[in-house]
Amino acid sequence: RQMLHHTSGLRDYIGLLVLSGHQIDDVTTPEDALRILSRQRALNFLPGDEHLYSNSGYFLLSIIVQRVTGKSLREEAKARIFEPLGMRNTEYLGSYDDLIAQRALAYESRGEGYRLDVSRWLQLGDGAVFTTVEDLLLWDRNFYTPTVGGRALLDTLHTRGVLTKGERINYALGLMHGELRGVATVLHGGSWGGYRAELLRLPSLHYAVAVLCNHGGSNPSALADAVAGVHLGNALRAEPAAAAAPSARRSSTPGVSVPSATLQRYVGTFRAPGATMLFTFVHDSTGLRLTSPGRYGLTALSSTRFRVEGLPFEVSFEFHSAPGTRPINAATLREADSPDQTIQRLTLVTPSAAELAAYTGAFESDELDGRWQVTADSSGLRVQHPGAAAMRMRALTKDEFSGGGLTIRFQRNEGGTVIGAALDQGRAKNIGLRRVSSP
């Protein structure tokens, strides 16, 4: 149940394999994923304490299916789910070179053209399903008139997870609860390579939208919302209340104008106490923007509250007021169906050349493959892991740097010499590195 709810604390095998030198267009096998997971010596958090999406749980469940039944998840799903539902055009991937009738290849933009963006990773359970919008209609129909599973199982699938301290999350055994303009929704989206997908269900209206895309720049969540808005009309609330708590879907509240001097007070890097994720705000000719953890535009809902654009779920920041023209030092992060979170401004450090040199050398990990190299030059610190180019890291606090989706915290012995580091990468946290050589 913890693996199904993403509350297990297991590190995500995708990030672990990438950090060990594998590329998305490589061929990786279930054995590769099992091997890297078996090397992990710690969890992201104690099981049940937090909710953090991890593909490892669903992948490992596919291995359990195989070991219990003696058949692959591909075979079991076909016999027990797809065929009974009449989903004749749905199947799990068998091999990256399988011939699949009428398969749509996936693309990403490159300059003025395109390139293929089709993964050849062979893990099952967390993805690798080929289907059609017509077959997804049959899948949706099963929730109302069960052919597979029965009513008791389908009700269980909709039951939200509960954390150790009693907090209920919006994730329910592979189904996400939300709201679209006043109507309760059950949904899930996905992305891999250049593929994007969303299945949006509004059970009270017996209505669903399936969106399947084969371009990495697609936004199937927004497309599903738009289709539902056209079809359902007055069944949906016309405009969400601007002051209401953020819903699990996008709002359409228009933006307001905020003076440039006010926006400048919000510029800086913030994070929650004890967390590693950084939120960096910049101000330019387009207004206030977010440049980490991703690059997103912000729409002002008031002089202090800003909505993040380009996400399938409602996320906003509300900056705390402060007297005068001083920089704002804290803000509240509001995310769909999650508790409000306070983020605080970081006072960034600027290490000297000598201080940067103290971090350089080669590092290894018992939990990852390959050797990491840390170098320093006039532009700052650079970190390179197997299979990747060197990444420029910016200094945050003493002994802590961030860049390229990574946060690295160097560790010292009693004499002050750097002897190792702890690494965070999104869904894989606190991975240990030990220093094996210096320049």
Side-chain angles (χ1 to χ4, degrees):
R1 183 171 282 108
Q2 288 169 339
M3 288 192 285
L4 287 167
H5 284 316
H6 298 292
T7 59
S8 68
L10 290 167
R11 293 168 176 164
D12 194 301
Y13 78 88
I14 295 175
L16 296 173
L17 286 177
V18 169
L19 293 176
S20 294
H22 293 277
Q23 307 298 317
I24 297 300
D25 54 0
D26 290 344
V27 176
T28 69
T29 66
E31 290 72 27
D32 292 327
L34 277 173
R35 180 184 54 80
I36 200 71
L37 285 171
S38 72
R39 294 179 62 174
Q40 304 310 299
R41 298 294 177 262
L43 299 170
N44 287 330
F45 47 81
L46 290 176
D49 276 5
E50 301 179 32
H51 168 79
L52 179 64
Y53 202 99
S54 174
N55 290 280
S56 296
Y58 280 74
F59 161 67
L60 290 173
L61 288 166
S62 78
I63 301 299
I64 292 173
V65 168
Q66 181 174 343
R67 294 184 179 181
V68 169
T69 67
K71 298 179 182 179
S72 70
L73 180 62
R74 184 190 194 199
E75 296 171 294
E76 286 291 289
K78 180 179 181 180
R80 294 174 179 260
I81 302 174
F82 301 148
E83 286 187 347
L85 292 179
M87 299 173 67
R88 296 182 177 86
N89 295 305
T90 301
E91 61 180 313
Y92 271 98
L93 179 69
S95 176
Y96 72 89
D97 55 1
D98 279 352
L99 295 179
I100 299 173
Q102 298 182 315
R103 175 182 181 179
L105 297 176
Y107 304 87
E108 69 172 19
S109 299
R110 180 168 63 182
E112 297 182 357
Y114 300 90
R115 66 178 292 273
L116 283 176
D117 190 6
V118 179
S119 171
R120 299 190 291 178
W121 289 34
L122 299 178
Q123 295 78 21
L124 303 183
D126 57 328
V129 176
F130 287 90
T131 190
T132 66
V133 290
E134 294 85 358
D135 274 14
L136 287 175
L137 174 63
L138 300 174
W139 176 276
D140 170 66
R141 188 174 296 164
N142 189 64
F143 285 101
Y144 305 104
T145 308
T147 299
V148 171
R151 176 52 52 196
L153 174 60
L154 294 174
D155 289 344
T156 298
L157 286 177
H158 287 80
T159 303
R160 301 185 189 199
V162 179
L163 300 182
T164 304
K165 294 182 179 180
E167 177 192 334
R168 189 174 67 161
I169 61 176
N170 74 321
Y171 204 90
L173 301 174
L175 302 174
M176 299 177 69
H177 287 267
E179 180 184 290
L180 175 62
R181 291 165 55 182
V183 179
T185 60
V186 179
L187 60 124
H188 209 299
S191 64
W192 185 239
Y195 293 108
R196 301 290 183 269
E198 177 90 348
L199 179 60
L200 166 67
R201 302 179 55 244
L202 290 78
S204 65
L205 302 179
H206 205 131
Y207 181 84
V209 183
V211 181
L212 304 177
C213 306
N214 63 333
H215 182 267
S218 304
N219 188 340
S221 299
L223 292 170
D225 286 357
V227 170
V230 170
H231 283 183
L232 298 177
N234 293 333
L236 301 178
R237 187 174 60 203
E239 286 289 345
S247 70
R249 305 296 289 184
R250 303 293 306 144
S251 77
S252 57
T253 309
V256 301
S257 178
V258 180
S260 178
T262 300
L263 297 179
Q264 192 61 37
R265 300 176 68 194
Y266 307 143
V267 171
T269 297
F270 296 71
R271 73 175 172 197
T276 58
M277 182 175 290
L278 301 174
F279 301 94
T280 300
F281 300 91
V282 300
H283 175 218
D284 58 21
S285 59
T286 64
L288 195 68
R289 293 189 298 109
L290 193 65
T291 59
S292 68
R295 296 183 177 274
Y296 299 101
L298 298 171
T299 295
L301 304 180
S302 71
S303 62
T304 59
R305 185 179 171 201
F306 296 79
R307 181 180 66 219
V308 182
E309 300 299 336
L311 293 177
F313 299 98
E314 185 82 353
V315 177
S316 66
F317 295 90
E318 183 159 8
F319 292 92
H320 300 180
S321 60
T325 60
R326 291 179 299 176
I328 301 298
N329 289 322
T332 298
L333 166 63
R334 295 193 171 95
E335 191 171 359
D337 294 322
S338 297
D340 288 355
Q341 191 173 21
T342 299
I343 59 173
Q344 299 173 346
R345 180 185 295 275
L346 287 179
T347 302
L348 303 180
V349 300
T350 304
S352 66
E355 289 171 328
L356 291 176
Y359 303 115
T360 58
F363 293 75
E364 291 182 351
S365 171
D366 294 331
E367 299 173 296
L368 301 174
D369 295 322
R371 178 169 288 201
W372 290 56
Q373 297 290 339
V374 178
T375 58
D377 57 27
S378 58
S379 65
L381 202 68
R382 293 183 181 273
V383 172
Q384 182 175 19
H385 66 77
M391 295 172 290
R392 185 175 180 273
M393 311 293 285
R394 62 169 175 165
L396 300 177
T397 60
K398 179 177 172 56
D399 292 337
E400 183 181 23
F401 295 77
S402 176
L406 304 176
T407 299
I408 187 166
R409 300 179 303 279
F410 290 96
Q411 300 162 340
R412 299 175 182 267
N413 60 18
E414 293 182 355
T417 301
V418 172
I419 58 172
L423 177 72
D424 292 322
Q425 189 226 38
R427 298 170 178 173
K429 300 181 181 297
N430 206 34
I431 302 170
L433 298 173
R434 66 179 182 279
R435 192 180 192 184
V436 293
S437 70
S438 57

